Amino acid sequence: MYGLVLEGGGAKGSYQVGAYKAINECGLEISAVAGTSIGALNGAMIVQGDFEECLELWDDIRYSDIIRDNDQELNRLLHSKPDIHTVKMVADKLRGVISNKGFDIAPFRNMIARYTREDEIRNSPIEFGIATYNLTDRIPMELFKEDIPCGEMKDYLLASSYMPFFKIEKIGGKTLLDGWFHDNLPYHMLLRKGYTNLIIVRTHQMNPGELEDIKDLDPIIVYPKEDLGRAFDLDSSKIKRNMKMGYCDALKEIRDLKGRRYYVRPEGEKFYFQYLESIGNDKIEELCKLLHIDSKPGLSILFGHIIPRLGSMMDIEEGYDYETFIIYIIEYILEAGEVERFEVYSFEELTRMLNQNNGRFRKREYSRYDNIMNRFGNLVPFNRDEILLEAARIIFMD
């Protein structure tokens, strides 16, 4: 039984939807959810058991689902270059917002009403908590569903996402703000409830030292390794990309998928050691020539000189195994061929695909490398990626 924590992040919440799809497929049972802002809304739909509706929401979400305005105009405001026409449009828009005391978010309220059902949330066996901030009394609020007055669940879901530039709406005479102003990642709510098995789905990249206070609990932490975009960027292609990324990142953490940028099913150290052992002397000779190693080809040269040198060039952390080495170097050729990243591959699938489509990967001549290395007597940094790409081609392609 796990407690699920969903970070706030606006449009980046699509990443959480992909992550939950993977969590669900892996059969991990969720007994509590705590979320902030969009994490609270996603969490509500998970708690009420309507994940398909959650997918539906994200599949067709638009700016006009959040703010009462024109989709095309909002898209232009968010994506146009700051020329004189855009500046004027922004100025006119802000004057209207100020005079009306904020953006009209009636569509967002309607969307919450459409996709959440208070009775199902309350009757669900899954505990549910949200974070918000009481601006009137200047106090943080962490509320579980039993703490929220009956009939006001949707109001508090809105409050957890409520930004200061929205039109002022009050709950019980109080002005509540987005939970970001208190705790954008409310895992402490579940800790205080006694949950120690946590799955934390972030919408922001991790910084060194974050979540140190729970490292002994060994939580499953799913987070993007690259920027998900802006919090109000509802571009449909980016949303779909982020959902795929969330799905693959979650599978990577749960099923121990391998890879730095790709997602490869684990085969184990022995499998990859035997694969390296099967490399013939003709390929080892090519690698020696590429790396300017003057030695008779053989397995001792492969394991004692070629692999350590290539591993150093890839900046792999010390103590890496052969599985890590193989997958990291194959990624060079995958990227060169623009192979789809957000899929889960087996090693067999990858090598078969590479050999069936070898025309996508241009073979390079060694003369460039030899001239450079003869001149400087060693490998040079600006040549690294091309050398690694050629090494990958030699190792994996027939």
Side-chain angles (χ1 to χ4, degrees):
M1 303 287 279
Y2 288 89
L4 176 64
V5 184
L6 301 174
E7 186 171 31
K12 302 178 187 183
S14 56
Y15 179 85
Q16 297 172 347
V17 177
Y20 182 73
K21 180 181 177 183
I23 292 167
N24 196 40
E25 285 182 5
C26 291
L28 301 185
E29 190 172 350
I30 303 300
S31 55
V33 179
T36 294
S37 193
I38 195 62
L41 179 56
N42 283 337
M45 288 185 282
I46 290 170
V47 169
Q48 69 189 20
D50 285 324
F51 183 62
E52 290 303 317
E53 281 195 287
C54 191
L55 289 173
E56 175 190 310
L57 183 157
W58 284 103
D59 190 54
D60 193 37
I61 194 168
R62 301 174 183 178
Y63 295 109
S64 55
D65 291 324
I66 309 299
I67 296 171
R68 190 185 297 283
D69 214 319
N70 180 277
D71 270 311
Q72 292 181 339
E73 187 172 312
L74 284 169
N75 186 65
R76 182 180 170 189
L77 283 171
L78 289 168
H79 297 97
S80 297
K81 293 181 180 179
D83 55 28
I84 186 63
H85 300 292
T86 305
V87 171
K88 183 179 184 302
M89 185 188 297
V90 171
D92 291 342
K93 182 68 62 179
L94 288 177
R95 277 196 292 271
V97 169
I98 293 169
S99 64
N100 289 298
K101 297 182 180 180
F103 285 106
D104 184 354
I105 58 166
F108 187 40
R109 175 181 285 280
N110 293 337
M111 187 177 75
I112 292 174
R114 176 184 173 187
Y115 285 100
T116 64
R117 290 177 288 280
E118 180 168 342
D119 58 337
E120 293 181 16
I121 294 172
R122 292 190 183 279
N123 293 330
S124 170
I126 302 174
E127 294 195 76
F128 179 54
I130 66 172
T132 184
Y133 184 78
N134 184 329
L135 181 63
T136 303
D137 299 330
R138 299 188 179 182
I139 56 172
M141 299 181 72
E142 296 178 349
L143 305 165
F144 283 92
K145 58 185 179 181
E146 59 268 23
D147 304 318
I148 297 172
C150 288
E152 297 185 11
M153 180 70 68
K154 294 170 185 177
D155 294 329
Y156 279 89
L157 287 172
L158 179 65
S160 187
S161 302
Y162 202 89
M163 300 303 292
F165 48 80
F166 293 162
K167 274 190 175 180
I168 295 175
E169 295 188 31
K170 295 188 176 183
I171 300 176
K174 309 288 185 180
T175 299
L176 306 184
L177 292 180
D178 191 298
W180 175 84
F181 291 94
H182 163 52
D183 187 353
N184 206 37
L185 190 64
Y187 60 91
H188 290 103
M189 292 183 67
L190 297 188
L191 290 179
R192 287 192 286 271
K193 278 273 189 175
Y195 289 92
T196 55
N197 293 325
L198 298 179
I199 301 174
I200 296 175
V201 183
R202 306 210 57 181
T203 56
H204 298 80
Q205 294 169 289
M206 291 279 287
N207 294 317
E210 284 191 295
L211 305 181
E212 282 290 311
D213 59 329
I214 56 172
K215 66 178 181 180
D216 292 341
L217 299 177
D218 195 24
I220 297 172
I221 303 174
V222 181
Y223 68 96
K225 311 305 186 292
E226 55 194 79
D227 187 16
L228 297 179
R230 291 174 292 185
F232 288 95
D233 189 350
L234 294 176
D235 176 76
S236 61
S237 62
K238 184 165 290 186
I239 284 174
K240 287 178 172 58
R241 167 187 171 274
N242 289 347
M243 288 173 69
K244 286 183 177 180
M245 192 192 308
Y247 176 78
C248 290
D249 283 349
L251 284 181
K252 191 169 194 174
E253 295 301 324
I254 297 167
R255 293 184 173 165
D256 193 29
L257 302 182
K258 305 300 180 181
R260 188 152 32 186
R261 285 175 57 77
Y262 283 79
Y263 305 84
V264 184
R265 296 187 185 96
E267 298 283 358
E269 173 81 349
K270 182 179 179 180
F271 173 89
Y272 287 101
F273 178 76
Q274 290 174 341
Y275 181 87
L276 289 167
E277 274 191 319
S278 71
I279 292 177
N281 280 347
D282 55 339
K283 290 195 172 190
I284 297 175
E285 185 175 4
E286 282 192 82
L287 290 168
C288 285
K289 187 177 181 181
L290 174 68
L291 298 173
H292 208 57
I293 296 174
D294 186 15
S295 184
K296 184 179 179 180
L299 290 179
S300 62
I301 293 301
L302 176 65
F303 287 101
H305 294 275
I306 294 173
I307 291 174
R309 185 175 294 190
L310 292 173
S312 177
M313 292 174 68
M314 290 189 290
D315 297 323
I316 310 179
E317 293 182 7
E318 291 186 11
Y320 62 87
D321 57 20
Y322 294 122
E323 183 171 42
T324 299
F325 169 79
I326 284 283
I327 293 172
Y328 275 28
I329 195 168
I330 203 174
E331 287 186 321
Y332 279 88
I333 202 167
L334 296 176
E335 290 194 84
E338 298 181 343
V339 174
E340 170 60 39
R341 282 182 54 209
F342 301 118
E343 297 285 347
V344 178
Y345 299 100
S346 69
F347 178 72
E348 181 183 358
E349 288 170 337
L350 288 175
T351 53
R352 183 173 62 249
M353 177 173 54
L354 294 179
N355 284 289
Q356 287 175 346
N357 299 277
N358 57 16
R360 294 166 64 183
F361 309 100
R362 181 168 61 89
K363 182 176 179 178
R364 288 166 167 74
E365 299 297 332
Y366 294 143
S367 58
R368 289 183 61 203
Y369 306 129
D370 289 341
N371 290 338
I372 293 170
M373 288 183 277
N374 285 333
R375 180 178 178 186
F376 292 97
N378 209 334
L379 301 178
V380 291
F382 62 79
N383 208 30
R384 186 194 69 164
D385 287 345
E386 291 186 325
I387 292 174
L388 288 169
L389 176 58
E390 181 66 6
R393 190 201 65 77
I394 292 169
I395 294 170
F396 300 113
M397 299 179 68
D398 297 334

